[in-house]
Amino acid sequence: MIEILRKLSIGSHRHASEEELLRLADGEMRAWQARRLHRHLEQCWTCRSRHEQVQGAIRDFVEHRQRIVLPHLPLGNGRRDQLLKRLEELTLDNTQAWTARAAQFLRSAAASMMNPVFATVLIVIAAATAIVVVWQHNAPTVSANQLLDRAEVWDNSKTAVTRAGVVYQKVEIRTPSVTFDHSVYRDIEGRRRPRRGSASLQQAALQSAFNAGGVDWQRPLSAYDYRKWNAQLREKKDEVFSEQRGTLTLRTSTNTGEVQEESLTVRNADFHPVARRLVLRDVGEIDISEVSYDVLPWNAINVAELFEPEPPSPPLAAPLRRPLVPLPSLAALDQAELRARLALNDVGADTGEDISVARNRSSVTITGFVETEPRKREIDQALAGLPLVSSSVSTFEVRNQQLATVDQSQPSSIRQQDVVAQGSPLDTYLAARSVSPDQASQVSRDLLDDALEIDRQAMALDALEKRFPQAARNSLSPENTALLQQLFRRHLSALNQTIQKEQQLIGSYVDDSSSDNALTAANVSTADLVRVANENRQLSGELLAQGKDGQRSGALILADLGRSLLECERMAKSLGPNTN
């Protein structure tokens, strides 16, 4: 059985042996084994070169024997007679009718089947084959925790490599719209840190999705990061299943958050992570698969370009060694993250802009894109001086140029459509009340701004709730708890102010009967608040949409909008005690 498994495991991760190459060249290998080895040769230059060398040696030997040796070998009388006799037998066999040969074969087979020993052997062979097939399809699997434990051991073990140097890992990232390669370099001994340059457009586009799925750009196949993401899920379903290609896959499904499903695939032999897959509710599938993994000597790469300068070693004459800098504690990282979020809130960068807060075992990194260079400097200055916090924010200059080109492609048709379009339900409603066009336009702009701000603040509160659930808040230090409450109160205050502003905006156009002093709702979650805020945004969009047949009147939409604002206000009041 072990020999069968060994033969089945020929793939892109193991080089072919000399025996396998010789059997392939001699045609002694079975068809399915030959196909697997041919697929390996298509991917592995080393084995392909060795295979060509074997074929060349055989070809040279045959040519040498044909031209030099064979003409000088005598053919003895006995061997000549045997050859002539064999040729005569072959001629007689070929002239025999095929029906006669078939009948003879069937008679011999029937006679053999009557033999109990032969029948028993056939039954044993068939049973063994069935057992192997069933075993292949039902191979025993490990639990989710065992898989992650062994994968982390492989990631962290220096015995996974055979020599000092730098790990070079190339992965392929596939999204619904683009496929590209990403190269990762990592110091085996952990002394040098990878240099973090400016984020590429591809990295920036995927940063939000990677943050939601707990994927580190520098370690996209990390089992540690997968466990960290998996552990913070409140509702999840873990499944481990094996595949015929010699891998095990842990798949996690969840009904909460942006990620609908995520999986980590490892090799059966050593639990080396080779693939990771994310399924996001809005974006779709993102596949990360390992293309190659190797250990390179330091002289094979540009160290200055790929890694930060190595800290100077202590002088030889120093009597004592410098102590290693320990990793920061979880409390210190929590404090760094919360202070960074407060600093972003001070400059209004935590809602409405493409800014993400990423955290690893040693620091907190702020990444994303903003519109202008002054805005980038403002955010950098707000984050400057915060311990364990670094900023990697860029601008949208290249993307803005592309968008400007697209916007200029159809200017005339858009303007012409605006001229002939009917007014929105709000315009019609305000015109009937003798509101001037300028004042109606200002009301439309203010209403849209308020609806979007309510939606952003609700999502910010929900993101804080998911980032720091009750279990995580219970482990925070008193100082970090105070920082979290301060951040929560800021978002809640901004939400309440915007709700009141929108209520005042539409107050003169909505019946007062929709507002009352009813008690606040009980057992309200931030997810409920997000749902009602989204409903308010959709009603505002319906009120401001261009008129069309079958559309509801402005009075009906405004009445529903007033009720949704009242529901938002009640939920916000219910969430207020959570800040204590």
Side-chain angles (χ1 to χ4, degrees):
M1 185 65 68
I2 295 176
E3 181 64 19
I4 293 176
L5 292 177
R6 186 187 66 79
K7 294 179 179 180
L8 289 174
S9 65
I10 299 176
S12 60
H13 300 290
R14 184 178 67 82
H15 292 306
S17 64
E18 299 294 334
E19 178 186 356
E20 291 167 342
L21 294 176
L22 287 173
R23 290 177 60 200
L24 178 64
D26 292 339
E28 297 176 356
M29 185 172 285
R30 294 183 179 179
W32 63 271
Q33 292 177 322
R35 286 196 299 271
R36 291 177 64 88
L37 189 51
H38 276 300
R39 285 198 300 269
H40 176 77
L41 295 178
E42 292 175 359
Q43 301 174 0
C44 180
W45 283 99
T46 300
C47 293
R48 190 187 307 174
S49 175
R50 292 167 52 216
H51 180 58
E52 292 174 355
Q53 291 176 359
V54 170
Q55 289 182 319
I58 294 174
R59 183 172 55 253
D60 294 340
F61 173 80
V62 172
E63 291 178 357
H64 178 78
R65 186 175 183 276
Q66 293 272 354
R67 292 186 293 102
I68 306 300
V69 179
L70 195 58
H72 301 282
L73 291 178
L75 188 62
N77 295 331
R79 294 180 60 189
R80 183 182 293 107
D81 295 339
Q82 292 176 1
L83 176 61
L84 293 175
K85 183 178 180 181
R86 182 57 181 160
L87 290 175
E88 291 175 358
E89 292 175 355
L90 292 176
T91 303
L92 292 175
D93 289 341
N94 291 333
T95 57
Q96 186 179 4
W98 68 271
T99 54
R101 293 198 303 269
Q104 182 180 359
F105 173 78
L106 291 175
R107 285 194 299 270
S108 62
S112 300
M113 290 295 292
M114 296 300 292
N115 188 336
V117 177
F118 182 79
T120 303
V121 171
L122 286 180
I123 293 174
V124 171
I125 293 175
T129 304
I131 291 173
V132 171
V133 172
V134 172
W135 180 81
Q136 285 286 337
H137 287 280
N138 299 278
T141 59
V142 297
S143 66
N145 285 333
Q146 290 173 335
L147 186 146
L148 291 175
D149 287 341
R150 298 184 186 181
E152 283 190 54
V153 169
W154 198 99
D155 277 345
N156 299 326
S157 175
K158 293 183 179 180
T159 61
V161 294
T162 57
R163 59 185 184 277
V166 57
V167 170
Y168 166 63
Q169 185 180 35
K170 183 179 180 181
V171 298
E172 182 186 70
I173 301 176
R174 296 186 301 275
T175 71
S177 58
V178 67
T179 299
F180 61 96
D181 292 334
H182 172 48
S183 297
V184 178
Y185 295 86
R186 186 170 66 255
D187 181 7
I188 296 175
E189 298 176 326
R191 294 183 302 173
R192 295 182 174 92
R193 298 181 58 183
R195 185 180 294 276
R196 293 183 178 271
S198 59
S200 63
L201 290 177
Q202 295 165 332
Q203 178 181 356
L206 290 173
Q207 192 64 56
S208 177
F210 276 15
N211 290 341
V215 180
D216 188 347
W217 184 256
Q218 294 297 328
R219 297 175 64 95
L221 301 180
S222 169
Y224 171 85
D225 292 337
Y226 189 96
R227 182 193 291 276
K228 184 178 177 182
W229 168 81
N230 181 283
Q232 57 88 30
L233 296 177
R234 288 179 290 181
E235 299 178 7
K236 62 182 178 180
K237 178 183 179 183
D238 290 334
E239 299 174 278
V240 179
F241 54 92
S242 60
E243 298 176 302
Q244 293 183 355
R245 57 182 181 177
T247 59
L248 287 172
T249 296
L250 166 60
R251 180 173 61 198
T252 303
S253 306
T254 177
N255 294 325
T256 60
E258 301 177 30
V259 180
Q260 178 179 350
E261 178 183 308
E262 186 168 346
S263 63
L264 180 69
T265 300
V266 301
R267 290 197 301 243
N268 269 337
D270 54 4
F271 287 83
H272 167 50
V274 295
R276 192 167 178 176
R277 178 172 174 266
L278 292 84
V279 181
L280 290 96
R281 305 184 194 279
D282 298 333
V283 179
E285 297 183 6
I286 299 177
D287 290 300
I288 309 170
S289 56
E290 183 179 83
V291 177
S292 62
Y293 185 96
D294 202 359
V295 179
L296 305 176
W298 285 105
N299 57 10
I301 64 170
N302 188 338
V303 179
E305 181 181 353
L306 298 175
F307 290 90
E308 297 287 351
E310 187 176 5
S313 57
L316 297 177
L320 297 176
R321 292 184 177 181
R322 287 184 183 177
L324 295 176
V325 178
L327 291 175
S329 63
L330 291 178
L333 288 173
D334 289 337
Q335 185 176 93
E337 179 180 349
L338 290 169
R339 290 193 179 279
R341 291 180 182 273
L342 284 170
L344 292 173
N345 182 265
D346 288 336
V347 294
D350 57 343
T351 57
E353 288 182 289
D354 187 13
I355 301 296
S356 301
V357 180
R359 171 174 163 176
N360 54 33
R361 287 172 286 181
S362 60
S363 63
V364 176
T365 304
I366 312 301
T367 59
F369 283 83
V370 294
E371 295 292 338
T372 62
E373 186 66 28
R375 178 60 170 164
K376 174 184 179 302
R377 289 196 296 270
E378 182 183 12
I379 295 175
D380 290 341
Q381 291 175 1
L383 298 171
L386 294 180
L388 305 178
V389 176
S390 62
S391 174
S392 181
V393 179
S394 302
T395 62
F396 273 116
E397 292 181 1
V398 176
R399 185 175 295 182
N400 286 341
Q401 293 174 1
Q402 297 174 350
L403 293 177
T405 303
V406 175
D407 291 340
Q408 293 174 2
S409 60
Q410 298 178 341
S412 59
S413 62
I414 293 176
R415 292 196 182 97
Q416 183 178 2
Q417 187 176 3
D418 288 343
V419 171
V420 299
Q422 300 178 9
S424 67
L426 180 61
D427 292 336
T428 304
Y429 181 83
L430 295 179
R433 294 200 169 197
S434 302
V435 178
S436 66
D438 291 342
Q439 185 177 357
S441 177
Q442 184 62 42
V443 171
S444 299
R445 288 194 296 268
D446 292 344
L447 180 62
L448 180 60
D449 291 341
D450 292 343
L452 292 175
E453 181 63 17
I454 289 174
D455 194 49
R456 286 194 291 262
Q457 294 298 338
M459 287 192 294
L461 288 168
D462 188 52
L464 272 181
E465 183 71 23
K466 291 177 179 177
R467 174 63 187 86
F468 295 96
Q470 189 61 47
R473 277 181 278 176
N474 292 337
S475 62
L476 291 176
S477 66
E479 183 179 2
N480 292 340
T481 301
L483 292 174
L484 178 60
Q485 292 174 351
Q486 181 183 359
L487 186 58
F488 197 95
R489 282 195 296 266
R490 285 189 181 184
H491 287 296
L492 197 59
S493 175
L495 174 65
N496 286 320
Q497 291 176 7
T498 311
I499 292 174
Q500 294 175 5
K501 184 179 176 182
E502 186 172 344
Q503 286 176 331
Q504 293 173 1
L505 181 65
I506 67 172
S508 57
Y509 311 116
V510 180
D511 254 344
D512 291 339
S513 59
S514 63
S515 60
D516 51 38
N517 295 322
L519 295 176
T520 58
N523 298 325
V524 173
S525 67
T526 54
D528 298 326
L529 179 62
V530 169
R531 175 181 54 79
V532 179
N534 183 61
E535 179 183 350
N536 175 74
R537 178 175 56 81
Q538 292 177 351
L539 287 171
S540 300
E542 181 183 1
L543 189 62
L544 300 176
Q546 293 179 354
K548 58 183 178 181
D549 296 337
Q551 192 173 29
R552 294 196 301 164
S553 66
L556 291 176
I557 302 174
L558 280 169
D560 288 344
L561 187 62
R563 285 190 288 271
S564 72
L565 284 172
L566 181 61
E567 190 67 20
C568 278
E569 183 180 21
R570 290 173 177 173
M571 290 187 175
K573 289 180 180 179
S574 179
L575 291 173
N578 290 340
T579 62
N580 296 332

